[in-house]
Amino acid sequence: MKFPQVIFLLGTISLLNSCIERVQKKDKLEVYGSTEILVTNEHGEEVIENVTLHIDSFEVVNQDSQIVTAANFKGKIYIVDFFFTHCPTICPVMTKNMAKIYDAYEEDNQVLFLSHTIDFKNDTIPQLKKYANKIGISSKKWHMVYAGKENTFDLAKQYMVSAAEDPNSPGGYMHSGAFILMDGQHRIRGYYDGTLEEDTEQLIADIKVLKKEQNER
Amino acid sequence: MNVNLRVVILSSFVLILLALMIFRSCSRPPQKGKVVYQNHCASCHGNEGEGFRNLIPPLTDSNYLDANQDNFACIVGYGMDQEVIVNGTSYTQPMAGIEQLTPTQIANVANYVYGRWSTTKKKFTPKEIETLLGNCQ
């Protein structure tokens, strides 16, 4: 092969390489979530608006037995998931990926984590604490919470992810492996597969976009 | 340059390359096992078998591997739900068995893991794995 041809080949390869960039750069994040039609009366005229529901009323208990409410997350950026500590399949991977995001924003007080257990029999507060200690995380930043069956499944519905008891699933519970990115107004801004490394990288990048948006407000 | 000399240089270069390739493929752990490892094990245990904090044990403890040659197939096939001590740390996270793996695939992944991290470098045959799986508790 002649010299110019080699250069051409190398050029093509590097071009192709840049096309398959793993993390997508975004300027703005979408708003997700169920909406409600709001009819208001403004100066005698009916105004119909489609409003996104905010997930802003919950009260849960974290691994330190502290009560955590939506107010703790107001103005923050947080990532929500559903898991259980005895889960033999996808949760260890999810925890591992979540810890990667945690590490990336460890010094950033604006970024928090909220993991809901769906095993209401085994995941007592001490059990959640034990699990948190094994990963070596701070309860000020990463809340592993117990909310009881009804509240938790109701919250899962609001976040629009699946979580349920299922005797046929390994460990006895079936749940989504999603990471849900939330903004400071308790709105859903992104869904990511918590079992995938690519999605984890994307989430780490998207937090920056959301941070910029919130700091400009 | 003399044509003959060029041929000699070129062919010796090709020969060295070939020898290197053969040497590398022989000294590396089996590649089929690597594929199984990456698809079913690496997301938790890590590409380098490093494990994850105090939640998921590393696979790099040769003492554990050497002592558990007979259990390896059962753990991969049927999972594990009891405390293990690896490198002096206790791990209690249950692991699910990967039921869809065939004895050949388990043998491949066992050879990959043992080839990389055990001292005995034990080699498993699919037949041996089948027998071991039959004896799982």
Side-chain angles (χ1 to χ4, degrees):
Chain A
M1 216 188 279
K2 282 186 196 130
F3 191 62
Q5 284 171 310
V6 175
I7 296 289
F8 178 71
L9 193 78
L10 281 176
T12 324
I13 291 172
S14 63
L15 251 177
L16 271 174
N17 233 335
S18 65
C19 292
I20 39 178
E21 180 82 46
R22 293 211 315 178
V23 175
Q24 202 190 330
K25 281 209 179 93
K26 299 180 190 165
D27 299 324
K28 209 176 166 292
L29 302 182
E30 301 280 332
V31 178
Y32 299 89
S34 41
T35 52
E36 197 174 53
I37 292 172
L38 194 73
V39 184
T40 44
N41 211 318
E42 261 176 48
H43 315 296
E45 259 182 78
E46 264 196 355
V47 181
I48 298 172
E49 256 184 309
N50 220 359
V51 203
T52 311
L53 291 179
H54 298 208
I55 307 171
D56 56 2
S57 69
F58 57 84
E59 191 176 292
V60 295
V61 184
N62 78 0
Q63 68 266 42
D64 281 350
S65 304
Q66 277 167 337
I67 292 173
V68 176
T69 68
N72 293 64
F73 299 95
K74 196 171 179 216
K76 306 277 186 185
I77 290 166
Y78 55 109
I79 297 129
V80 177
D81 75 344
F82 292 82
F83 84 117
F84 61 106
T85 66
H86 288 90
C87 163
T89 51
I90 63 171
C91 312
V93 193
M94 288 171 69
T95 302
K96 202 173 154 181
N97 285 333
M98 193 76 111
K100 204 184 219 172
I101 310 165
Y102 178 99
D103 287 350
Y105 290 98
E106 192 167 8
E107 306 296 327
D108 188 335
N109 293 331
Q110 208 182 344
V111 180
L112 299 175
F113 300 84
L114 177 59
S115 291
H116 292 269
T117 178
I118 55 163
D119 181 350
F120 314 105
K121 268 183 251 130
N122 296 307
D123 283 346
T124 55
I125 303 297
Q127 174 60 24
L128 290 174
K129 179 77 180 167
K130 221 167 115 188
Y131 191 81
N133 284 346
K134 279 185 190 165
I135 321 162
I137 50 146
S138 156
S139 53
K140 287 196 181 71
K141 191 170 188 71
W142 188 343
H143 301 276
M144 295 193 161
V145 302
Y146 183 97
K149 195 162 151 182
E150 222 168 286
N151 286 338
T152 306
F153 289 164
D154 177 58
L155 276 167
K157 214 180 265 170
Q158 291 188 51
Y159 288 113
M160 302 197 296
V161 295
S162 55
E165 284 175 306
D166 177 14
N168 295 324
S169 289
Y173 295 90
M174 185 276 293
H175 65 100
S176 144
F179 288 163
I180 309 145
L181 177 60
M182 301 293 295
D183 69 14
Q185 298 172 60
H186 314 287
R187 296 180 305 178
I188 300 167
R189 302 304 295 271
Y191 287 98
Y192 308 83
D193 186 335
T195 65
L196 297 180
E197 235 178 293
E198 303 92 276
D199 275 37
T200 308
E201 297 294 337
Q202 184 69 55
L203 179 42
I204 289 174
D206 287 357
I207 290 174
K208 281 197 198 103
V209 181
L210 198 50
K211 272 178 71 77
K212 201 166 160 242
E213 177 193 304
Q214 286 195 179
N215 294 339
E216 276 167 4
R217 279 167 58 91
Chain B
M1 206 192 275
N2 190 322
V3 178
N4 270 338
L5 191 67
R6 278 173 79 169
V7 171
V8 170
I9 292 174
L10 213 87
S11 50
S12 55
F13 180 73
V14 170
L15 264 175
I16 291 170
L17 209 80
L18 263 172
L20 260 173
M21 275 168 69
I22 292 169
F23 175 75
R24 276 184 68 105
S25 67
C26 292
S27 60
R28 264 206 237 148
Q31 294 304 293
K32 276 183 191 161
K34 187 178 181 177
V35 174
V36 178
Y37 183 83
Q38 284 178 338
N39 288 342
H40 298 283
C41 319
S43 57
C44 285
H45 290 288
N47 280 330
E48 303 303 318
E50 72 273 14
F52 174 65
R53 305 201 183 162
N54 290 340
L55 203 64
I56 298 156
L59 298 177
T60 52
D61 178 358
S62 54
N63 288 335
Y64 184 86
L65 288 179
D66 293 345
N68 286 280
Q69 288 180 2
D70 291 347
N71 299 332
F72 190 85
C74 298
I75 298 171
V76 173
Y78 297 110
M80 192 175 201
D81 196 3
Q82 60 193 20
E83 184 192 24
V84 278
I85 311 275
V86 180
N87 277 337
T89 305
S90 150
Y91 295 88
T92 51
Q93 189 69 23
M95 167 187 150
I98 310 148
E99 281 161 27
Q100 72 266 35
L101 291 182
T102 63
T104 310
Q105 284 175 309
I106 296 180
N108 286 339
V109 78
N111 289 337
Y112 177 74
V113 169
Y114 274 77
R116 273 191 89 174
W117 298 303
S118 75
T119 41
T120 57
K121 309 279 173 212
K122 164 133 181 75
K123 292 229 161 54
F124 298 84
T125 63
K127 241 202 152 109
E128 217 177 327
I129 295 289
E130 249 188 294
T131 316
L132 288 172
L133 285 173
N135 295 333
C136 294
Q137 284 155 354

